[in-house]
């Protein structure tokens, strides 16, 4: 009997004094484990007389239950103490500055394409696309540049191996082949026959054998094309005036049309914008110098006929502008080659926030 009350107080005080979960588990093993004190009492039951065994067994079982309850109580006390200690030591200081987070930037070319889409979109233009790898017919012949025409020498073309059927292939030297692709489109022809008006811009990659501070073998152009029954040279001028002033954000931007030659337009004009080079720094919209930014003209009747439309019925204008060049001019970027170096420092400096508003 004495044994039992000694074991009881030893076990309960070990549980009570356990300072952490490891000590508590040690107290459990010391009492209830295989070689524990209470388990030891159970083992003595076999040597007792039956009536004693019943009475003593009940008391040992009760003791076992008591210890288990104490273990549970101590365990939850230790748990809330540990939580309280963590809460006290691990404070979140909400006044600390946030960790810097890396944000990507939009490349100036993408930004300018978005601006082009917004400005021409307001004028009712749609956005069209064409392949970078183009066949000779769309890039040249359809545009009134037949084989052996000297105008083919105007552009330093990357020629590709011909297709299996012999079709000569090139990397497109301008976005103008998409003029032909658009006019040849059955839905566009139906829309025109129904009295509609075709207005598209074609921003995209173009390729020429050229490489210096203002030329790269891959560069970007935006083509513009308007075809209907009435569009004339006055519309061409008005459209490009409005575009240049909106894009460069200069209301009084000086703009000059200069007679020029392209096989696919007649008459043709190149467009210059006024600028100054004071102190070696380029400023658009002021001063006494001119910078060429695009080629344009009334679509040649031969091109309209090559694309399956009747030039006696349909007419319109087209233009082609260097996107890289107008990006350099608007955003003061001196070297074209840096556009395509993928230098993170350059991209952080000249890139745009994704949420920068377009106009
Ligand atoms: N395709 C011409 C070029 O790359 C530009 C242009 C387009 C000129 C449309 C007139 C009309 O130089």
């Amino acid at each position: 009997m004495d044994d039992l009350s000694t074991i009881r107080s030893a076990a309960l005080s070990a549980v009570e004094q356990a300072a952490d979960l490891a000590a508590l588990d040690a107290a459990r093993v010391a009492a209830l484990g295989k070689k524990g004190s209470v388990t030891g009492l159970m083992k003595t039951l076999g040597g007792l007389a039956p009536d004693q065994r019943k009475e003593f067994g009940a008391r040992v079982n009760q003791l076992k239950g008591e210890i288990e309850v104490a273990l549970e109580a101590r365990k939850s006390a230790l748990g809330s103490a540990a939580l309280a200690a963590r809460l006290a030591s691990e404070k979140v200081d909400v006044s600390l500055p946030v960790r810097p987070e890396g944000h990507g930037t939009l490349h100036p070319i993408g930004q300018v394409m978005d601006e082009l889409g917004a400005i021409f979109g307001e004028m009712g233009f749609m956005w069209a696309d064409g392949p970078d790898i183009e066949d000779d017919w769309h890039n040249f012949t359809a545009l009134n540049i037949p084989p052996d025409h000297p105008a083919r020498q105007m552009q330093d073309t990357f020629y590709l191996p011909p297709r299996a059927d012999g079709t000569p292939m090139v990397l497109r030297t301008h976005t103008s082949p998409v003029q032909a692709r658009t006019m040849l489109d059955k839905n566009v022809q139906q829309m025109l026959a129904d009295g509609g008006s075709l207005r598209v811009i074609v921003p995209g990659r173009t390729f020429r054998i050229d490489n210096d501070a203002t030329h790269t073998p891959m560069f970007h152009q935006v083509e513009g094309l308007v075809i209907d029954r009435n569009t004339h040279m006055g519309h061409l001028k008005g459209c490009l005036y409005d575009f240049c002033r909106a894009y460069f954000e200069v209301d009084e931007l000086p703009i000059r049309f200069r007679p020029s030659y392209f096989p696919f337009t007649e008459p043709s004009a190149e467009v210059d914008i006024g600028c100054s080079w004071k102190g070696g720094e380029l400023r658009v919209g002021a001063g006494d110098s001119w910078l060429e930014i695009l080629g344009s003209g009334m679509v040649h009747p031969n091109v309209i006929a090559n694309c399956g439309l009747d030039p006696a019925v349909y007419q319109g204008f087209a233009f082609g502008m260097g996107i890289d060049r107008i990006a350099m001019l608007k955003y003061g970027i001196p070297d074209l080659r840096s556009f395509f170096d993928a230098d993170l420092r350059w991209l952080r400096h000249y890139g745009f926030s994704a949420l920068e508003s377009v106009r």
Side-chain angles (χ1 to χ4, degrees), residues 155 173-174 176 179 208 221 223 262 264-265 295-297 318-320:
Q155 302 182 344
T173 55
H174 48 184
S176 302
Q179 285 188 33
R208 290 183 201 177
Q221 284 190 340
E223 194 79 8
F262 298 102
F264 32 92
T265 48
S296 66
F319 60 86

Side-chain angles (χ1 to χ4, degrees), residues 11-32 67-79:
L12 288 179
S13 86
V15 168
E16 211 43 58
Q17 279 156 31
D20 53 29
L21 289 175
L24 187 61
D25 199 53
R28 179 187 63 79
V29 173
L32 307 179
I67 293 171
E68 278 166 354
V69 169
L71 280 167
E72 259 327 295
R74 185 69 188 146
K75 188 172 167 193
S76 81
L78 284 175

Side-chain angles (χ1 to χ4, degrees), residues 87-151:
L87 286 175
S89 67
E90 295 178 9
K91 277 208 182 104
V92 174
D93 184 351
V94 291
S95 70
L96 283 174
V98 290
R99 278 193 204 122
E101 210 180 281
H103 283 290
T105 54
L106 284 184
H107 194 283
I109 297 290
Q111 168 73 17
V112 169
M113 284 187 178
D114 287 351
E115 294 176 24
L116 291 167
I119 298 170
F120 283 111
E122 267 181 36
M123 297 189 206
F125 282 74
M126 311 236 290
W127 183 299
D129 255 331
D132 290 355
I133 295 175
E134 189 54 278
D135 58 69
D136 186 276
W137 188 83
H138 284 96
N139 196 80
F140 293 121
T141 311
L143 299 171
N144 202 29
I145 318 175
D148 303 323
H149 190 285

Side-chain angles (χ1 to χ4, degrees), residues 297-346:
M298 298 306 293
V299 180
H300 197 292
N302 289 353
V303 175
I304 294 185
N306 287 343
C307 298
L309 294 171
D310 182 354
V313 175
Y314 298 107
Q315 62 184 39
F317 66 79
F319 60 86
M321 185 157 45
I323 293 183
D324 320 74
R325 164 157 290 207
I326 62 169
M328 290 167 80
L329 289 175
K330 180 167 179 180
Y331 295 112
I333 307 172
D335 190 332
L336 175 60
R337 287 168 297 195
S338 59
F339 274 72
F340 312 119
D341 282 346
D343 182 334
L344 211 48
R345 293 163 303 175
W346 186 92

Side-chain angles (χ1 to χ4, degrees), residues 236-251:
L236 162 62
K237 289 188 75 175
C239 172
L240 293 176
Y241 265 87
D242 283 354
F243 166 75
C244 290
R245 290 185 175 150
Y247 173 77
F248 288 106
E249 296 169 6
V250 179
D251 283 340

